[in-house]
Amino acid sequence: MRPKQAKWRATLLSGAAIALGLAATGVAAEEKPEGHGDSPAAQYVYSATTVGEIDVELPGRKPGDPVMTQSEFNKAATLYFERCAGCHGVLRKGATGKPLTTDITRENGFEYLRDFITYGSPAGMPNWGTSGEMTEEEIDMMARYILLEPPEPPQFGLEKMKATWQVIVPPEERPTEKMNDIAIDKLMSVTLRDAGQVALIDGDSYEIVKIFDTGYAVHISRMSASGRYLFTIGRDAKVNMIDLWMEEPSTVATIDTGLEARSVETSKFEGWEDKYAIAGTYWPPQYVIMDGDTLEPLKIKSTRGMTVDTQEYHPEPRVAAIVASHYNPEFIVNIKETGKIQLVDYSDIENLKVTEIEAERFLHDGGFDSSGRYFITAANARNKLVVIDTKEGKLVDIVDSQGMTPHPGRGANIDHPEHGPVWATSHLGDASVSLIGTDPEGHPDKAWKVVQQLWAMGGGSLFVKTHPDSDHLYVDAPLNPAAEVSGSIAVFNTADLTAEDPEYKVLPIAEWAAIAEGQPRVVQGEFNKQGDEIWFSVWNAKDKQSALVVVDDKTLELKKVIKDERLVTPTGKFNVYNTRKDVY
C-alpha cells in the first residue's frame, strides 16, 4: 500500500504556564566553544553586529516571557540564522516552513516546541535533536528564543555593499585564454556547508583540485555563459567570483550583498554573455545587478510590496530562485512572500524595465522544461506549480502539484513513454513525485497537468534528478527523520513509468559510504557531464565524517566513495557543464 497524501497538523498545547515552565527550565549560558568565532558560521553575529554598527539587545522582559540571558539570546539568534531562517524567515512569518510568530509559538508552548525541534516530522522538519545536530541545551535555548519577538536586522544598501566589495585580480590582469589543463566542463563545485568553503573536484580522477573559502553555507554555484567564471553565494550573502581560466583557479572578486541570501545568476542571452551578474537576498528583501567582470554593484531593487492574494503589504518578501532567460535579455526573479515573478530586463539597467507577473505566494525553487522556454517553479507552501513562458513573458498556468510542499530544486525533465516530455518534482511533505506535461504543441491535452504521480520512500525530499542520457529518475529524502530513509535514494526506471504503480529501487548510499558515526543524510544527486554517473553528498554533522558517493547510472552500482578530511558537511554539487547549459 502506497502512502496517501496527508496534511501536517500541529498539535496545539496550552501556553498558559509558559512563564512558570520556562523559568524552571532556564539554562546557564554555555562556555564559549573552542574555535568559536573563527568559522564563517560563527562570524555571523545576528542583526546589525554583522556590519559592526550596533548591538542587538535582548527585548525588554514582559510578563510571561521566558528567562533568557543576553549571551543565550545572541547564540540562539545565530543558530536560528544557520538552521531555521531559510524556511521560516528572518521575521518568522513562514514560507516553506510554518510561521513562528509569537502568537503561534506561545499557543503551542515550550514543551511542544522543544519536542518538535528534537524529533522533527515526516513533513520535512529535520530532527535536530535525535540526529545529534543540536544538543539538548541548544534545543532548550531555541525553544525559549522563538517565544520572544524576533529582532529585525538592519538594511544593507549601496554604501555597505561597496564597503565589502573587493576586486582581488582586476580584469586587465587576468589571462586572455585558458592557462591550465583542467577539464573545466567536468568539474564539480561542491558546497562544504559548515566549513564556509567550496571544493572543486575533477570529474574524471575524483581528486580535489582546490578548496576555496567562500560565504557560510553556500546555497548554489552558478556558471557564467562563457564557462569561465564560477559564482557562489553563501547563506550570509557573500558572493565569490572564481576565474577557472587562471593557471590556478582563484577568486578574483567578492562582495557581500546583504545579510542572508540564496541566489546568484549571470546574463546568458546572446550578445549579453557574462555582462552582468545578479544576486537576490533574503535579508534585506532585494536584489542587486552587478558588473559581470568585477561584481561592482550597479542597481539595487527592493522587493517589498503587496501580496498577490490579499494585496496587503509584506515587509519581508525574500528573493528565492533566479534564472537567466535564453529567449530575452532578462533575469527571472522569484519573490517568495508576495507571490510575484519579475522579468528584469538588463538591456538598459539605467532605465530598468521590470515585467511583474502575479503568480502564487511562497515561490521557491524551479527550473526550465526540456526546451528551455518554460520556467516551472514551486509555490511550495501553497502546493502549487507556476509556469512562465519566458519567450512571451507571461503566466501560462498555475497547477496543483497534488502533493504537499513541492521542492524540485531545478526539477527533472523526462521523455515519458506515454505522456511525452514531462517535468518532475518531489515533495517535502509526503512521498509523492508529480510529473507535469510540458509539451503544449506535441501533447496539448497533457500540457501543464499532473499526468502521473509516483510514490517514493517518504517525505523530506529536496531534489529529483535525471539526465537526457539517463533512463533513471533519482529521488532523495534527506529531511526524513528516519535514518534508513534519509540515508538512501529511490530510483525509478523511466521506461517502466507506464506501469499502474511503478516500483523503485533503493540505493543504500549512506551504507555504501561506510560512515560509522552520526546520521548522515544523502542529498542532491548531480550528474557528470557525460551523463553516465551521478554523485550524491553524504552529509553528516560537521564534527563527523562525511563523503561523496558516485553511482554508475547504467548499473546502479557503487562506483566510487570519495572521502577526505576536508570534505566537511558536503551538500550541493554543481557540474560546470550541466549548470551552464541548464541540463537537468
Side-chain angles (χ1 to χ4, degrees):
M1 178 69 69
R2 294 291 182 188
K4 302 296 184 182
Q5 179 175 333
K7 290 187 176 180
W8 178 87
R9 293 186 300 168
T11 303
L12 296 179
L13 299 179
S14 171
I18 288 177
L20 293 176
L22 291 178
T25 58
V27 295
E30 295 176 275
E31 292 296 317
K32 183 177 180 181
E34 184 178 354
H36 185 77
D38 299 328
S39 70
Q43 289 167 8
Y44 181 91
V45 182
Y46 196 72
S47 193
T49 50
T50 305
V51 290
E53 291 188 353
I54 62 173
D55 291 324
V56 175
E57 294 184 1
L58 182 69
R61 197 163 186 270
K62 301 175 183 177
D65 278 357
V67 173
M68 197 167 208
T69 68
Q70 179 70 56
S71 174
E72 287 180 312
F73 183 77
N74 290 341
K75 290 178 183 178
T78 300
L79 193 60
Y80 181 85
F81 162 76
E82 293 176 12
R83 300 300 190 205
C84 314
C87 286
H88 299 287
V90 170
L91 302 182
R92 303 189 205 151
K93 293 183 179 294
T96 305
K98 300 290 182 180
L100 295 176
T101 48
T102 53
D103 59 320
I104 296 172
T105 59
R106 292 195 170 210
E107 185 176 4
N108 285 333
F110 169 79
E111 291 182 357
Y112 170 79
L113 298 171
R114 179 196 61 199
D115 292 347
F116 201 69
I117 296 169
T118 299
Y119 297 106
S121 83
M125 171 69 179
N127 53 324
W128 296 113
T130 55
S131 68
E133 294 188 57
M134 285 189 189
T135 65
E136 288 185 14
E137 291 78 12
E138 287 173 331
I139 291 170
D140 181 288
M141 184 172 61
M142 286 303 297
R144 286 179 285 134
Y145 173 75
I146 59 177
L147 289 164
L148 296 172
E149 293 293 335
E152 181 173 318
Q155 305 308 308
F156 205 86
L158 184 64
E159 182 180 357
K160 289 179 180 176
M161 283 190 203
K162 284 197 170 182
T164 71
W165 172 46
Q166 297 183 66
V167 180
I168 300 163
V169 182
E172 61 271 18
E173 296 179 15
R174 300 173 199 165
T176 57
E177 60 183 12
K178 185 171 174 287
M179 300 297 290
N180 58 59
D181 59 1
I182 299 170
I184 289 176
D185 277 351
K186 294 183 178 182
L187 286 174
M188 288 280 186
S189 177
V190 181
T191 295
L192 307 180
R193 187 189 189 279
D194 291 333
Q197 295 176 325
V198 161
L200 287 184
I201 301 181
D202 184 275
D204 289 332
S205 68
Y206 310 117
E207 297 293 328
I208 295 175
V209 174
K210 187 172 181 178
I211 292 180
F212 296 87
D213 291 328
T214 60
Y216 168 69
V218 162
H219 192 64
I220 57 172
S221 298
R222 288 290 177 260
M223 288 302 305
S224 66
S226 67
R228 174 175 184 168
Y229 293 114
L230 173 70
F231 295 81
T232 67
I233 190 162
R235 287 278 306 277
D236 55 2
K238 181 176 182 178
V239 178
N240 277 53
M241 180 181 180
I242 299 168
D243 188 350
L244 300 178
W245 279 14
M246 297 177 73
E247 185 173 349
E248 179 182 338
S250 300
T251 296
V252 294
T254 66
I255 190 172
D256 294 350
T257 59
L259 301 183
E260 187 183 0
R262 294 297 186 281
S263 50
V264 66
E265 183 60 286
T266 67
S267 53
K268 292 182 177 178
F269 188 65
E270 185 177 358
W272 295 90
E273 297 93 339
D274 296 14
K275 176 71 173 176
Y276 295 115
I278 183 173
T281 48
Y282 271 22
W283 191 272
Q286 62 193 30
Y287 54 86
V288 56
I289 299 174
M290 301 166 286
D291 182 273
D293 283 332
T294 65
L295 296 183
E296 178 185 4
L298 303 173
K299 178 76 69 173
I300 301 173
K301 186 77 172 174
S302 173
T303 56
R304 289 184 171 96
M306 304 301 183
T307 61
V308 296
D309 46 8
T310 61
Q311 298 199 34
E312 295 179 351
Y313 179 78
H314 198 291
E316 191 191 357
R318 298 172 289 173
V319 177
I322 301 177
V323 296
S325 173
H326 299 279
Y327 285 86
N328 293 291
E330 292 176 337
F331 294 120
I332 300 139
V333 180
N334 273 359
I335 302 172
K336 187 186 289 278
E337 279 75 16
T338 56
K340 296 175 181 178
I341 296 174
Q342 292 190 1
L343 309 182
V344 182
D345 186 339
Y346 52 73
S347 63
D348 182 1
I349 66 169
E350 295 300 322
N351 301 283
L352 193 67
K353 294 180 181 178
V354 177
T355 300
E356 190 169 83
I357 298 174
E358 294 192 353
E360 179 62 273
R361 291 189 68 189
F362 309 116
L363 297 163
H364 193 60
D365 52 355
F368 291 110
D369 76 310
S370 57
S371 73
R373 173 173 175 173
Y374 298 99
F375 175 56
I376 309 169
T377 185
N380 48 29
R382 291 285 173 87
N383 304 323
K384 302 291 186 183
L385 300 168
V386 176
V387 183
I388 301 296
D389 184 341
T390 65
K391 181 178 181 180
E392 299 296 330
K394 63 182 182 181
L395 176 70
V396 174
D397 210 340
I398 299 177
V399 183
D400 190 324
S401 77
Q402 298 186 18
M404 281 198 65
T405 320
H407 194 289
R410 289 207 156 188
N413 288 300
I414 301 168
D415 190 4
H416 195 285
E418 179 180 348
H419 303 298
V422 301
W423 180 90
T425 181
S426 55
H427 294 82
L428 271 167
D430 61 31
S432 66
V433 179
S434 295
L435 308 183
I436 299 93
T438 61
D439 185 15
E441 295 184 4
H443 297 78
D445 58 326
K446 312 282 189 180
W448 321 130
K449 299 176 183 177
V450 175
V451 296
Q452 187 175 11
Q453 273 194 300
L454 312 175
W455 293 96
M457 298 179 296
S461 177
L462 291 178
F463 300 101
V464 289
K465 184 63 70 171
T466 190
H467 186 277
D469 295 328
S470 173
D471 294 326
H472 297 113
L473 173 67
Y474 298 82
V475 186
D476 69 12
L479 298 188
N480 194 289
E484 64 272 21
V485 176
S486 65
S488 300
I489 292 291
V491 188
F492 292 89
N493 190 317
T494 56
D496 296 337
L497 294 181
T498 55
E500 182 178 349
D501 190 12
E503 297 292 332
Y504 59 84
K505 181 175 182 178
V506 175
L507 305 184
I509 302 294
E511 180 182 320
W512 287 348
I515 293 175
E517 296 181 317
Q519 183 185 332
R521 305 173 187 273
V522 177
V523 64
Q524 202 219 22
E526 175 74 349
F527 274 88
N528 62 351
K529 178 188 177 183
Q530 301 93 307
D532 59 8
E533 64 185 34
I534 183 168
W535 296 35
F536 293 98
S537 294
V538 184
W539 167 25
N540 210 350
K542 62 184 177 183
D543 60 343
K544 294 179 172 59
Q545 186 179 49
S546 293
L548 299 173
V549 169
V550 182
V551 175
D552 187 303
D553 177 64
K554 304 305 177 186
T555 66
L556 300 183
E557 294 178 352
L558 174 64
K559 190 170 183 178
K560 178 72 175 180
V561 176
I562 305 173
K563 289 183 177 178
D564 190 296
E565 63 181 9
R566 295 171 291 174
L567 294 179
V568 178
T569 57
T571 53
K573 298 162 301 306
F574 303 90
N575 169 258
V576 165
Y577 179 84
N578 294 338
T579 301
R580 175 162 57 96
K581 295 292 187 179
D582 289 313
V583 177
Y584 37 81

